[in-house]
């Protein structure tokens, strides 16, 4: 009998966390994509309808907090606590009380720390029963982004945990400033894919499917989601000047050539969480475990980790375990040393 749960993606709704600092273009982007027919069967959770500007879109009132747009997208305001809103929506969906939808886009406020929301999606049992975190998409302002990264820790964290970074207002920014921001974001989060958007004109596909899970049982997105090679390249790249906030963020990947003993690895991971949980902005891993033919996915934020799940198959012949860390004030050497100590203690 397997120690791990199989991938239950087909029965849980994928959630994209859509974040970005004040003025980075989230509202403009949402205003554009909500009218796109490709947003059909999507649920968009916003803080207030008025902020998104739905007045010019045909909409049908479904409930006091929910409207159905002409595109087929359902738009809902967050009422009180997020977990209460998500649970209520899941209940109403199960009872066919609201229009059907297959995926969720959750917009945060510009000043939001994404970590508590990620923790809720990853490990709240009543939430994870119906939803799964698919990925994080963050908008960054090409004109003001560098200053915001200098002055606001929230902006740094929003960019650091992203799977995809959407750089807005590139038509208004100087070429040198845009190039410098791209370089800085790559140093801050080398595993994230970067895209430039103008006036919110974006393919809605960029807002979804950035995670490792596929309802059809395919796992070919694992490499893009993990992008371990990017983190390794960043770790071995020459040192360069960084801002006073960026220098606190580290991104690195640990690679294990041989299959891992789960009991030993799990004890080590628990020790890492206990010792440095506050410094773990995000941890993503695809592991080869002794006795298991399929890859095991782990995903965590700070001390909160989602229960490990098995994917249907490996994406290619590379069966190495890869574990990506995005941390604050925690370097690779300390984490590697803790693993070495755990291995040595197990051999004695």
């Amino acid at each position: 009998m397997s120690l791990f749960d199989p991938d239950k993606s087909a029965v849980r709704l994928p959630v994209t966390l859509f974040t970005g600092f004040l003025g980075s273009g989230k509202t403009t982007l949402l205003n554009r994509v909500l009218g796109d027919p490709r947003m059909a069967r999507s649920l968009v959770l916003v803080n207030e309808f008025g902020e998104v500007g739905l007045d010019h879109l045909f909409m049908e009132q479904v409930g006091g907090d929910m409207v159905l747009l002409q595109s087929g997208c359902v738009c809902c305001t967050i009422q009180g606590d997020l977990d209460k809103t998500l649970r209520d929506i899941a209940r109403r969906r199960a009872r066919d009380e609201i229009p059907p939808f297959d995926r969720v886009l959750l917009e945060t406020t510009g000043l939001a720390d994404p970590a508590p929301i990620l923790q809720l999606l990853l490990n709240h049992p009543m939430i994870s029963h119906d939803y799964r975190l698919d990925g994080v998409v963050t908008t960054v302002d090409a004109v003001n982004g560098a200053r915001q990264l200098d002055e606001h820790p929230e902006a740094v964290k929003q960019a650091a945990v992203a799977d995809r970074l959407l750089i807005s207002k590139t038509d208004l920014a100087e070429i040198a400033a845009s190039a410098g921001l791209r370089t800085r974001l790559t140093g801050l989060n080398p595993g994230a894919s970067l895209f430039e958007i103008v006036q919110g004109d974006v393919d809605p596909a960029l807002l979804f499917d950035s995670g490792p899970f596929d309802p059809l049982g395919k796992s070919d997105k694992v490499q893009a989601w993990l992008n371990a090679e990017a983190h390794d390249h960043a770790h071995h790249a020459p040192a360069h000047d960084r801002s006073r906030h960026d220098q606190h963020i580290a991104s690195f990947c640990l690679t294990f050539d041989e299959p891992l003993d789960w009991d030993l690895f799990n004890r080590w991971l628990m020790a890492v969480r206990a010792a440095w949980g506050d410094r773990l902005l995000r941890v993503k891993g695809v592991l080869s475990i002794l006795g298991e033919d399929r890859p095991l996915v782990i995903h965590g934020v700070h001390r909160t980790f989602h229960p490990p799940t098995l994917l249907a198959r490996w994406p290619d012949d590379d069966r190495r375990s890869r574990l990506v860390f995005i941390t604050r004030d925690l370097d690779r050497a300390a984490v590697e040393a803790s693993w070495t100590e755990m291995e040595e203690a197990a051999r004695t």
Side-chain angles (χ1 to χ4, degrees):
M1 179 179 294
S2 175
L3 293 172
F4 314 106
D5 291 331
D7 175 21
K8 297 185 177 66
S9 298
V11 296
R12 292 189 293 153
L13 288 164
V15 180
T16 296
L17 183 63
F18 182 45
T19 188
F21 201 71
L22 295 170
S24 62
K26 293 194 306 301
T27 299
T28 301
L29 187 150
L30 281 179
N31 202 10
R32 292 288 295 270
V33 300
L34 286 177
D36 193 306
R38 290 171 292 178
M39 289 293 290
R41 297 186 70 89
S42 299
L43 171 72
V44 178
L45 282 170
V46 297
N47 292 284
E48 291 293 341
F49 287 140
E51 294 179 7
V52 181
L54 301 178
D55 293 343
H56 70 291
L57 298 174
F58 174 80
M59 56 187 180
E60 173 188 348
Q61 199 76 19
V62 178
D65 58 348
M66 186 174 290
V67 296
L68 176 63
L69 306 182
Q70 190 175 32
S71 63
C73 181
V74 184
C75 202
C76 181
T77 52
I78 299 170
Q79 298 291 318
D81 294 335
L82 176 60
D83 65 328
K84 180 180 180 299
T85 298
L86 289 172
R87 285 186 281 118
D88 180 63
I89 287 172
R91 176 185 57 79
R92 294 169 66 182
R93 179 176 181 267
R95 296 178 180 178
D96 294 325
E97 296 176 356
I98 56 178
F101 58 90
D102 301 323
R103 56 193 182 184
V104 179
L105 182 68
L106 171 58
E107 182 219 12
T108 75
T109 64
L111 292 172
D113 179 347
I117 304 174
L118 293 175
Q119 290 172 317
L120 173 71
L121 294 170
L122 285 171
N123 216 40
H124 190 298
M126 297 183 70
I127 299 301
S128 59
H129 179 271
D130 297 296
Y131 304 92
R132 63 170 172 83
L133 175 65
D134 179 63
V136 181
V137 177
T138 300
T139 52
V140 182
D141 183 343
V143 176
N144 301 302
R147 179 176 57 81
Q148 291 168 346
L149 290 172
D150 283 339
E151 298 176 358
H152 301 283
E154 298 89 352
V156 176
K157 209 166 185 179
Q158 290 165 357
V161 302
D163 296 292
R164 290 176 183 157
L165 290 164
L166 308 183
I167 305 176
S168 64
K169 305 180 185 178
T170 53
D171 56 323
L172 303 178
E174 296 181 357
I175 295 177
S178 291
L181 180 62
R182 288 182 66 96
T183 299
R184 186 166 173 183
L185 290 172
T186 299
L188 178 65
N189 186 351
S193 303
L194 272 66
F195 302 88
E196 294 185 358
I197 58 174
V198 176
Q199 296 180 354
D201 187 10
V202 63
D203 184 347
L206 289 180
L207 303 178
F208 302 103
D209 298 326
S210 60
F213 304 108
D214 190 312
L216 299 179
K218 299 177 181 179
S219 55
D220 54 351
K221 296 174 186 172
V222 167
Q223 291 176 323
W225 176 73
L226 199 63
N227 208 352
E229 290 75 13
H231 293 271
D232 276 339
H233 176 76
H235 174 67
H236 295 294
H240 59 277
D241 291 335
R242 309 176 96 181
S243 78
R244 57 192 175 90
H245 281 294
D246 289 20
Q247 67 184 355
H248 295 286
I249 305 293
S251 178
F252 54 89
C253 177
L254 302 187
T255 303
F256 306 85
D257 293 330
E258 300 298 326
L260 296 165
D261 178 283
W262 173 250
D263 288 338
L264 179 64
F265 181 85
N266 192 38
R267 289 202 305 271
W268 171 71
L269 191 60
M270 288 191 293
V272 168
R273 289 154 58 183
W276 300 306
D278 292 342
R279 307 183 195 182
L280 302 178
L281 299 185
R282 199 169 181 195
V283 180
K284 304 190 290 186
V286 178
L287 310 178
S288 173
I289 300 296
L290 283 170
E292 289 288 352
D293 294 330
R294 294 177 291 169
L296 184 75
V297 167
I298 63 171
H299 195 177
V301 177
H302 293 314
R303 290 185 173 88
T304 301
F305 275 64
H306 192 276
T309 58
L310 289 169
L311 296 183
R313 62 178 176 85
W314 286 91
D316 53 31
D317 293 332
D318 187 354
R319 302 297 177 90
R320 296 175 301 163
S321 298
R322 286 151 288 173
L323 190 62
V324 167
F325 287 82
I326 301 175
T327 65
R328 180 184 292 277
D329 296 324
L330 176 63
D331 61 22
R332 179 191 189 113
V335 178
E336 286 183 323
S338 70
W339 171 249
T340 301
E341 293 173 4
M342 181 70 72
E343 281 191 305
E344 291 175 350
R347 287 194 291 264
T348 59

